Amino acid sequence: MSDHNPLIRKLASLTQLAEGDKRLLEEITAHPVVVPAKKDLIREGDAPLGVFLVMDGLACRYKLLPNGARQVIGYLVPGDFCDLDVALLELMDHSIGTITQCRVVHIPSETVQGILDNHPRLARALRLAALVDAATAREWLVSVGRRTCEGRLAHLLCELHLRLRAVGRAACDSYELPLTQVDLADTTGMTTVHVNRTLRALRERGLIEGKGRHIRIRDAAELWVLAAFNPGYLHRVQAGGQR
Amino acid sequence: MSDHNPLIRKLASLTQLAEGDKRLLEEITAHPVVVPAKKDLIREGDAPLGVFLVMDGLACRYKLLPNGARQVIGYLVPGDFCDLDVALLELMDHSIGTITQCRVVHIPSETVQGILDNHPRLARALRLAALVDAATAREWLVSVGRRTCEGRLAHLLCELHLRLRAVGRAACDSYELPLTQVDLADTTGMTTVHVNRTLRALRERGLIEGKGRHIRIRDAAELWVLAAFNPGYLHRVQAGGQR
DNA sequence: CGACAGATTGACTGGGTTCAACTTAAGTGG
DNA sequence: CCACTTAAGTTGAACCCAGTCAATCTGTCG
C-alpha cells in the first residue's frame, strides 16, 4: 500500500521504481513531524541542514525584498522536497515556509548522499524531480514575464491541479487550494485586488468555479488555452494530460 | 595558465579546485566549436544530447508562447553550462540559443557522468554551479514579479557584471553587454519601448553610462540599492562584492 | 460579542503598453 | 564609394490595464 505515500507516487510518475526502492522510501518517510501553518522551515541566511520533504499540507519557497514585498518562487505539495544538494551551500538564498499545517520529514544530508550513491534508480528519480523543480521555476518566470494576468492564474491552477492529482490529492476536476488571495498575488506578481477581480473574471467565463478553498475546473480545455499551458515541463511519464 | 579558461575561473569562484581538477577541465574544454550568433543550440522538444558549455560569447535559455511572445529564462556567459542531468530528460522543455557568436563545447553525457562519479571535488563544484543556476532563475522571478522596471534592469546589470567579472570578461566598473533592447525586454518582462525609456532614466540618474553595447557603472552602490541587489544567491566564496 | 484575517467592491490614478513615425548604425552589393 | 537594405534604437501621443487607496462585507474563532 504505497498508494498514499506522496513521495512514492510522485517519483513513480517520473520514472520506474522497483519494489525495493519503494520500501526504502517508505522507511525514510515513516516519521514525519507536524509543523503548524505559517511557520518557516528554514530562512534565507540560515545554514541548510539537509533536505525537507513535505508529506502532507502545502509549503512554499519565497523571498522578501527590502521594501517588504514578497515573491513566492515555488510551492511544495505532498511528495516535494527542497534541493538535493543544498548541503553544498553555506547559506540558504531563500526561505521555505508552510502555508497550511504540514507533515514534514527532515532527511539529513548523509542519508540523501547515501541514497544518491548506492541506489542508482532512486538517484535518477530524485535528480529528475529536482530537474522538474527547476523547470517549474522557469515556467513561472514565463508566466510572470509574458502571460496576461488571467493567463498567470489559469496557469497556476492548471499546474497545481496536475501536481496534486499526481500524488492523489486532487479529484479529476477539482481540488482543495489552501491559498489566500495574498498568496496568489505574491506568486503571480499581482496585487490582491487584481487577483480578486481576475478570479471573478475566470468564474464569469465559466472556466472555474468554487468559493474560497475549493476549486473546480469547469472547462479544462479552455483553461489550458487561456493559460497557454503545456505540461511538458513537468516531465510526467504518461503525458500527464486529462484523464 | 588556467587564467583565461572561464570554466575553471567560474568553478574556482565557487569552491576550491586542485591542480589535477584544473588539468582535467582544460582537457575537456580544449576543443570548442564556433557557433554563429542567433543560432539555436537545442530547441524545446528536442531530445537532449549531453551538456553544452559556453567558453566564449553569450547564449540564453528561452521559451516561446503560442502567441509568439518570448521569455528569456537565463543567460549563459563564458564558463556556464546547461543542467548536468539533462540526459535524464526525454525532451527539452526550453530552448537554448546563441546571442553572439560563441565558442561552445559539447560534452557527452557519459563524460559528465564519469566526472560526477570519479572526481568528487569537481562533482561538488559542478553541482554547486547548477544550484547557482537554479537560484538565479528564482532571483529573476523575484525581479519580474516584484521589482520596479528600473529595479529589474538595474538588477540584471548588476548580476551580469558580477558574473562576467568572475570569469575575467568585465573590468572593474564596465563591460560589454551584447544584448539588444529586445533581448532586455524579453528578459525583464517589459516592452522594448519601455526598456529604452527606463535605460535613459538610469542614465539620467547618473547610475550607468554608455551607448549601445558598452556599459559603464557609474554608481554601483546606488545601483545596488535601486536593484535591491543581494549577491548572496550567486554563492561566491569571497563575497563577490565590490573590488 | 468583539476582533481579526480574508475577500470584495468602487473610484481614481498612473505606470507601462500600443501604435506609429523617425533616426541611427551597420552592412551589402552594384 | 555610395545607394539601398535591414536591424536596432529613439521619441511622441493616446490609451488602458493594473495598482492604489479606502471602505465594506464575510466568516471564524476565542
Side-chain angles (χ1 to χ4, degrees):
Chain A
M1 279 279 83
S2 64
D3 256 22
H4 203 263
N5 187 307
L7 178 60
I8 295 177
R9 290 196 60 152
K10 174 182 166 170
L11 295 184
S13 81
L14 293 172
T15 185
Q16 286 287 327
L17 291 182
E19 277 310 312
D21 298 331
K22 294 188 183 177
R23 235 171 295 125
L24 178 53
L25 292 174
E26 287 282 13
E27 270 175 47
I28 288 175
T29 57
H31 304 293
V33 170
V34 172
V35 179
K38 297 182 193 234
K39 294 287 175 228
D40 283 329
L41 295 176
I42 192 161
R43 238 175 241 131
E44 180 171 352
D46 290 352
L49 301 160
V51 168
F52 287 108
L53 164 64
V54 174
M55 290 297 285
D56 206 39
L58 185 65
C60 71
R61 305 167 186 268
Y62 68 92
K63 292 191 92 163
L64 297 174
L65 290 181
N67 66 7
R70 180 179 74 144
Q71 176 68 43
V72 173
I73 52 188
Y75 286 113
L76 302 182
V77 306
D80 288 343
F81 52 85
C82 64
D83 323 63
L84 293 176
D85 299 305
V86 264
L88 298 181
L89 297 179
E90 312 258 315
L91 301 175
M92 286 294 290
D93 55 52
H94 64 279
S95 306
I96 302 180
T98 59
I99 305 253
T100 65
Q101 174 178 299
C102 288
R103 290 193 304 131
V104 174
V105 176
H106 177 261
I107 310 173
S109 310
E110 304 81 53
T111 310
V112 176
Q113 203 54 53
I115 295 178
L116 291 177
D117 291 342
N118 305 317
H119 299 268
R121 242 186 337 260
L122 275 184
R124 185 190 141 82
L126 294 171
R127 288 285 175 207
L128 212 37
L131 281 184
V132 171
D133 275 5
T136 303
R138 289 191 292 257
E139 190 64 43
W140 284 28
L141 189 52
V142 176
S143 262
V144 182
R146 285 290 181 241
R147 274 185 252 259
T148 64
C149 284
E150 288 195 355
R152 287 179 219 177
L153 280 176
H155 193 276
L156 183 63
L157 294 178
C158 292
E159 178 189 305
L160 288 175
H161 188 208
L162 282 200
R163 288 172 63 185
L164 289 171
R165 264 209 332 209
V167 292
R169 300 299 201 267
C172 176
D173 67 346
S174 71
Y175 58 105
E176 300 301 317
L177 185 68
L179 296 175
T180 65
Q181 294 185 354
V182 174
D183 294 326
L184 290 172
D186 289 345
T187 303
T188 52
M190 306 161 58
T191 59
T192 50
V193 173
H194 200 55
V195 165
N196 185 291
R197 293 184 175 133
T198 308
L199 282 176
R200 180 168 44 156
L202 292 179
R203 262 185 250 117
E204 283 170 357
R205 280 176 179 235
L207 300 179
I208 61 171
E209 75 183 32
K211 277 279 167 198
R213 304 290 104 107
H214 192 80
I215 296 281
R216 197 169 82 78
I217 292 174
R218 292 184 58 187
D219 188 340
E222 268 305 306
L223 197 65
W224 282 35
V225 170
L226 177 66
F229 184 68
N230 175 347
Y233 69 98
L234 295 172
H235 295 284
R236 293 289 151 77
V237 276
Q238 344 82 314
Q242 295 302 90
R243 175 95 59 84
Chain B
M1 278 282 84
S2 64
D3 256 22
H4 203 263
N5 187 307
L7 177 60
I8 295 178
R9 290 195 62 151
K10 174 182 167 172
L11 295 184
S13 82
L14 293 172
T15 185
Q16 286 287 328
L17 291 183
E19 277 310 311
D21 298 332
K22 294 188 184 177
R23 235 171 295 125
L24 178 53
L25 292 175
E26 288 281 14
E27 269 174 49
I28 288 176
T29 57
H31 304 294
V33 170
V34 172
V35 179
K38 297 183 192 229
K39 294 284 174 233
D40 283 330
L41 295 176
I42 192 162
R43 239 177 240 133
E44 180 171 353
D46 290 353
L49 301 160
V51 168
F52 287 107
L53 164 63
V54 174
M55 291 297 286
D56 205 40
L58 185 65
C60 71
R61 303 169 188 268
Y62 67 92
K63 291 191 93 162
L64 297 174
L65 289 181
N67 66 8
R70 180 179 75 146
Q71 176 68 43
V72 173
I73 52 190
Y75 286 114
L76 302 181
V77 305
D80 288 342
F81 51 86
C82 64
D83 323 61
L84 292 177
D85 299 305
V86 265
L88 298 181
L89 297 179
E90 310 258 314
L91 301 176
M92 286 295 290
D93 54 51
H94 65 278
S95 307
I96 303 180
T98 59
I99 306 255
T100 65
Q101 174 178 298
C102 288
R103 288 193 306 132
V104 174
V105 176
H106 177 260
I107 311 173
S109 310
E110 304 80 53
T111 310
V112 176
Q113 203 54 52
I115 294 178
L116 292 176
D117 291 342
N118 304 317
H119 299 267
R121 243 187 335 262
L122 274 183
R124 185 190 141 83
L126 294 171
R127 289 283 175 208
L128 212 36
L131 281 184
V132 170
D133 275 5
T136 303
R138 289 192 293 257
E139 189 65 42
W140 283 27
L141 190 52
V142 175
S143 263
V144 181
R146 285 293 181 238
R147 276 185 249 260
T148 64
C149 284
E150 287 195 356
R152 289 179 218 177
L153 280 175
H155 193 275
L156 183 65
L157 294 177
C158 291
E159 177 188 305
L160 287 175
H161 188 207
L162 283 200
R163 289 172 63 184
L164 289 171
R165 264 210 332 209
V167 291
R169 301 297 202 270
C172 176
D173 68 346
S174 72
Y175 58 105
E176 299 303 316
L177 184 67
L179 296 176
T180 65
Q181 294 184 352
V182 175
D183 294 326
L184 290 171
D186 289 345
T187 303
T188 53
M190 305 161 58
T191 57
T192 50
V193 173
H194 201 52
V195 164
N196 184 292
R197 296 195 236 257
T198 307
L199 282 176
R200 179 166 47 154
L202 291 179
R203 264 187 248 116
E204 283 170 358
R205 280 174 178 238
L207 299 179
I208 61 170
E209 74 182 33
K211 277 278 166 199
R213 305 288 105 107
H214 192 78
I215 296 280
R216 197 168 81 78
I217 291 174
R218 291 185 57 186
D219 188 341
E222 268 305 306
L223 197 64
W224 281 35
V225 169
L226 177 66
F229 184 68
N230 174 347
Y233 70 98
L234 295 172
H235 295 283
R236 295 286 150 76
V237 278
Q238 347 81 314
Q242 295 302 89
R243 177 93 60 83

